Amino acid sequence: MNRYGKLALIELHRFWKVYAALLAMTLVSQAGGFFYHLRTYMNGVHRQMAERGFRTYQEYREVFRGGETFHSFVSFAEPWFSGPVVLCAAAMIFYVFFIWYRDWLGKNTFIYRLLMLPTERLNLFWAKLTAIMAFVLGLVAFQIVLLPVHLWMFRQIIPPELGISESIFAFVRNHRLFQILIPGTFPGFLVSYGTGLMSVTVVFASVLIERSFRLKGLFGAILYAAACGTAMLAPSFSDRLYPLELFWLRFGIGILLLAVSVALSWLLLKRKITV
Amino acid sequence: MKKYAIAAVFAAFIVLVIGIYYVQAAGERNPQFRLVATEGDAKEADSLVLWGWYTDAPYSERVKVSASGSRYYGELSYFGRMKEEFIHNVPPIDRLVRQYPDFMREDRTADYQDDELLVRVKSDPWFQADKADATRGLAFDFLDKRTKRTRSLRADLPENAAFNGYGVIDVQRSGDSFKVAMYYENLRAGGTRGTPEIRIYDVNPENGGITGSVTVDSGLQPADGQELILREVQSYDWTLPSGYLVLDASLMEVRKIDETESANGVRASAAGQVEVERRLVVYRYDTGTVDVVTLPVEPLNEQTRESLYRVGAEVLRIRLSSESAVIQGYGLGDMKLHYEKTLSARDLQAESITQSVAGPNRLYLLLQEQDRPAVAAMDPEGGNIVFRGEAALDDAEEGKSASPLLNNLRLYSLYMRE
């Protein structure tokens, strides 16, 4: 456990600068883009009001379009809002591979030192898996924290006559991207991110296959990942199964793939992996 | 040690933020409604589930309202949503899926059931080794309800070159054989249709042999420029045994309904189908006789729509506009007009009538009051309103102003709770 903890800390530490940059980019892009858009909108409103001699926002609303929602303003501020989320997701997908390859391809072949540590080699696998999941969930949590901040900014800048502020939950439920990022129910969240966890172990196993057998391993890795993907998707092609049966079958397959990927990774790390 | 502390804070941040988000999300609820009886037996409301949308700008959410409360799609659990997306909201089929899941997984339809058997019949062309063309036929699936054993059977239908499309519209059991009502149609190039036909086959369930057949004659023969349309009038649970096959037969004529001439002399005309004759056709399975009632042809305007329902032992013809419902009740037994009633929205204490829906033994009218949806249930035999209910704010919403919340609720249909 102690070794695992230390390795996990190393993995977290090695990525923190990039990770902090991703968080900062999300904050600046969303808050900055949203603020800029809200200010531009209000400047336009004030200019129109001055030109037409309106004294209240209500008068403006009666003539011009008003009563837009937080969701609408977020949509107008795209891609500054969803863009960083997509970029962070892409960065995490890239890092699922890079977290292994940097140890081989970086300076001083760091994997040599990692594999020589007097500890169970599988701890290395758990540490990297922990780091990936922590980074992903950290991004989700950071986004959840940012949403009320954006809503607060919206309420501060847009007067109630011109803007309708819905709840964060209603916004998330109805936003194309955020409803995927933050599923509507907690079991849905566990299923989504559990599937993500299983997928990461499959990718890790594939990377280790490739690292163990090099060129031949590359084909093996692609084959393994494709076989896992097919196994996960196969039940969907049956129209004989009821939804709950389909769910439990997929759940069982997911658990099996997770176990197989971990076992395969353990075997490869212990017996086959070369530096 | 400092690194451990930072990692612990990071982990706690993740758990707390996501945990608090979901705890708060679970606590967020839309206004809760309930169906309450305002007239008649309150028990009538117990079996009703009205569904529609609750709109709180800019979002709308699916909602079901019953006497026990309201249920929003967004407030369902993960598995609840899974179930909700799967069920058909067609109670006869949903009930069969619950009772006989293994039989129903093959194909979530059924055509006939009694105490012994559950039967599904599909019109299914298949190819045989010695024939170039597909053989038209019927594929039967039987479930013995007692033993839970299933059996399949294929029955070849006689060739009928006059038609290029066919389908099963009704299945009944008659002694040792099954009667299968088939709809035949002939779709021609250019989108026109030949005269359709309803034919009833006697099928031996042991060997799939066709032991007899009869054509149901509506007595309507389309002339040139006319088209015959035949529709089955189904009851709420069409899988239950019935002695009748009820058809709605309309003779339509293509007529020029508008002609315009542009400034440069180009003439344009619009044509539409106009109903010239309409009949209610009832085939009696026991005697093999056909009874026909000519229905008065009354042109519909843009605000009026017409429906035929089979409720209990009556066939109800309803002409519905937002202001009124004109209902004619024909007895299946004697094929006579039992009553004709006109119910205005005002009679029903509503601003408008939005929809009519048939239940197993009631005709329901969905109503919109000034600030809330309501429903009225009509006894099909006498045409009397026996129940009236309306959506009300649930007791849990005490202290809230009901009117603006109820105004956001629109209910478009209903089904019967099992």
Side-chain angles (χ1 to χ4, degrees), chain A residues 109-167:
Chain A
T109 320
F110 191 61
I111 192 72
Y112 182 78
R113 281 195 277 167
L114 287 174
L115 293 176
M116 293 296 283
L117 287 173
T119 179
E120 182 66 51
R121 283 183 173 181
L122 196 61
N123 281 338
L124 188 61
F125 177 92
W126 292 128
K128 289 183 187 296
L129 188 62
T130 306
I132 292 289
M133 291 314 291
F135 289 139
V136 170
L137 295 177
L139 284 169
V140 173
F142 185 65
Q143 185 61 71
I144 292 175
V145 169
L146 280 186
L147 288 175
V149 175
H150 300 321
L151 187 62
W152 174 82
M153 188 170 21
F154 171 77
R155 284 175 179 156
Q156 293 302 309
I157 297 174
I158 306 293
E161 294 90 341
L162 300 180
I164 303 167
S165 59
E166 65 265 42
S167 78

Side-chain angles (χ1 to χ4, degrees), chain A residues 44-55:
Chain A
V45 169
H46 290 142
R47 195 173 53 246
Q48 287 286 352
M49 286 177 74
E51 282 172 12
R52 292 172 184 256
F54 297 155
R55 291 185 179 179

Side-chain angles (χ1 to χ4, degrees), chain A residues 69-72 74-75 78 81-82 147 165-185, chain B residues 21 28 30 53-62 72-75 81:
Chain A
T69 60
F70 174 64
H71 188 288
S72 310
V74 167
S75 304
E78 295 294 7
F81 222 89
S82 298
L147 288 175
S165 59
E166 65 265 42
S167 78
I168 289 298
F169 311 109
F171 168 76
V172 169
R173 262 204 311 271
N174 291 283
H175 193 277
R176 228 172 7 173
L177 183 64
F178 288 120
Q179 61 176 255
I180 299 167
L181 191 72
I182 311 164
T185 61
Chain B
Y21 175 84
E28 199 199 48
N30 281 316
W53 293 85
Y54 180 77
T55 304
D56 187 8
Y59 307 123
S60 291
E61 193 161 348
R62 263 187 286 167
Y72 289 87
Y73 176 80
E75 290 171 7
R81 287 181 194 197

